[in-house]
Amino acid sequence: MKEIDLELLKSYDNRFSELLNLQEINLDNIKTSLELFESESITSGNPIPKKLEVYCMVGGLPFDFKFIKEIKEIQEKIKSILRDKLYYLVRPENLAVEVIVFKWPSQNYDKNLIQESLKLVKKTQFKKFKLCSYGFQFHSDGAIILRCIDNPDNLRNGRKIIQENIQDLWKKQSNWAHVPLGRILEPLDKKTLKELKDFSIYSQKNIRFETEINKFHLLHEKRWYQCDRSNLLTIDLI
């Protein structure tokens, strides 16, 4: 494995290690996760992601059948551990790997920036890659993700190209190649937390699967987790 990929796995590990000494996940921990959903839907026990205005580029959407099947098996096991706790799991057709975000919800819409981004994306020759899973992890704030490496690192290189060529791009960008799987939306007691930790550690050591990413999609996302979106442009990777 290349050094750059080992560094990515170490970055995942460092984030996951923050959780390992916790005995429980409390309401304060998951506040940021709860804020991603309509408050009434949390109260009713049927979480619905909030409306928003995001412009971004992703891979997947959808992933191939086999990759989705493997993710669904992980999600089903997570469901069996969380039981009657409140959570949200991303639907199969909405699963994606984030390349870059051109506009976050907190930013004002900048038509020139979006047009500049479209022009750059259209003329850039992004390259295909394998998205390889190294299990899943979850964090104290409730986020659940699939740990992935782009092999070769064409997703990360594509992100770097965009960052270097669009000066006004928001600096807050992911350095990972992960797939968001869902959110924990209720405090976890010691027993449930341990079960989920154990399964996460097992998955990181034993669960491996991959898919080829041969397209990127530039989206106008209208609800978190691609629940409502418009596809502005699809790019074939070379």
Side-chain angles (χ1 to χ4, degrees), residues 24-51:
E24 63 179 16
I25 289 179
N26 60 40
L27 203 56
D28 284 339
N29 294 138
I30 60 172
K31 184 179 178 182
T32 55
S33 286
L34 291 168
E35 289 173 350
L36 300 179
F37 297 85
E38 304 286 0
S39 57
E40 299 85 356
S41 73
I42 295 293
T43 304
S44 69
N46 182 32
I48 298 172
K50 279 184 178 178
K51 292 181 179 180

Side-chain angles (χ1 to χ4, degrees), residues 1-2 5 8 128-132 134 148-156 177 210-213:
M1 186 180 290
K2 294 186 299 184
D5 295 335
L8 178 53
K128 298 176 185 177
F129 58 91
K130 297 283 188 182
L131 190 67
C132 308
Y134 284 77
C148 295
I149 287 175
D150 51 325
N151 182 27
D153 53 330
N154 291 339
L155 184 151
R156 285 169 284 173
E210 63 181 41
T211 187
E212 182 179 76
I213 302 298

Side-chain angles (χ1 to χ4, degrees), residues 4-229:
I4 190 171
D5 295 335
L6 291 171
E7 289 174 1
L8 178 53
L9 282 179
K10 185 177 180 181
S11 180
Y12 289 131
D13 289 341
N14 288 342
R15 184 70 176 87
F16 183 62
S17 68
E18 297 172 10
L19 176 87
L20 295 180
N21 292 327
L22 289 183
Q23 297 300 306
E24 63 179 16
I25 289 179
N26 60 40
L27 203 56
D28 284 339
N29 294 138
I30 60 172
K31 184 179 178 182
T32 55
S33 286
L34 291 168
E35 289 173 350
L36 300 179
F37 297 85
E38 304 286 0
S39 57
E40 299 85 356
S41 73
I42 295 293
T43 304
S44 69
N46 182 32
I48 298 172
K50 279 184 178 178
K51 292 181 179 180
L52 49 74
E53 292 289 329
V54 164
Y55 287 81
C56 61
M57 190 162 74
V58 303
L61 213 63
F63 293 116
D64 66 48
F65 175 80
K66 184 178 178 183
F67 197 76
I68 289 175
K69 182 175 180 290
E70 295 281 3
I71 290 176
K72 285 174 70 175
E73 289 179 4
I74 290 174
Q75 288 179 321
E76 286 300 317
K77 178 64 176 176
I78 291 171
K79 285 167 68 174
S80 73
I81 293 171
L82 294 179
R83 292 179 284 274
D84 60 347
K85 301 292 185 184
L86 190 63
Y87 55 83
Y88 176 84
L89 296 176
V90 180
R91 294 178 60 85
E93 65 271 20
N94 296 333
L95 291 163
V97 57
E98 178 185 303
V99 181
I100 201 154
V101 177
F102 299 105
K103 178 201 172 298
W104 291 95
S106 59
Q107 292 177 274
N108 293 326
Y109 177 76
D110 184 338
K111 183 178 179 180
N112 291 332
L113 176 62
I114 301 304
Q115 288 180 339
E116 182 185 356
S117 303
L118 278 164
K119 287 178 183 177
L120 176 64
V121 166
K122 284 179 180 178
K123 73 179 184 181
T124 303
Q125 293 187 320
F126 297 103
K127 296 181 180 180
K128 298 176 185 177
F129 58 91
K130 297 283 188 182
L131 190 67
C132 308
S133 164
Y134 284 77
F136 89 98
Q137 67 188 58
F138 65 106
H139 306 145
S140 58
D141 67 356
I144 308 170
I145 68 163
L146 189 70
R147 299 155 45 106
C148 295
I149 287 175
D150 51 325
N151 182 27
D153 53 330
N154 291 339
L155 184 151
R156 285 169 284 173
N157 284 336
R159 180 185 291 143
K160 185 177 179 182
I161 288 169
I162 295 170
Q163 289 175 307
E164 289 175 348
N165 285 277
I166 301 180
Q167 300 304 315
D168 294 331
L169 194 66
W170 193 257
K171 302 304 180 187
K172 175 188 172 185
Q173 300 291 341
S174 173
N175 294 315
W176 290 353
H178 67 292
V179 178
L181 298 184
R183 290 277 174 169
I184 297 164
L185 300 172
E186 190 172 335
L188 299 186
D189 55 74
K190 184 176 181 179
K191 179 177 180 295
T192 304
L193 180 57
K194 183 180 184 306
E195 283 186 55
L196 199 56
K197 283 180 188 175
D198 289 346
F199 177 49
S200 182
I201 292 167
Y202 170 84
S203 77
Q204 293 168 28
K205 292 178 179 178
N206 298 285
I207 298 179
R208 300 286 181 270
F209 52 94
E210 63 181 41
T211 187
E212 182 179 76
I213 302 298
N214 53 28
K215 294 180 188 296
F216 283 157
H217 306 284
L218 203 154
L219 305 177
H220 175 198
E221 189 177 356
K222 302 168 187 177
R223 281 189 189 271
W224 285 119
Y225 296 112
Q226 291 80 236
C227 291
D228 185 5
R229 63 184 185 264

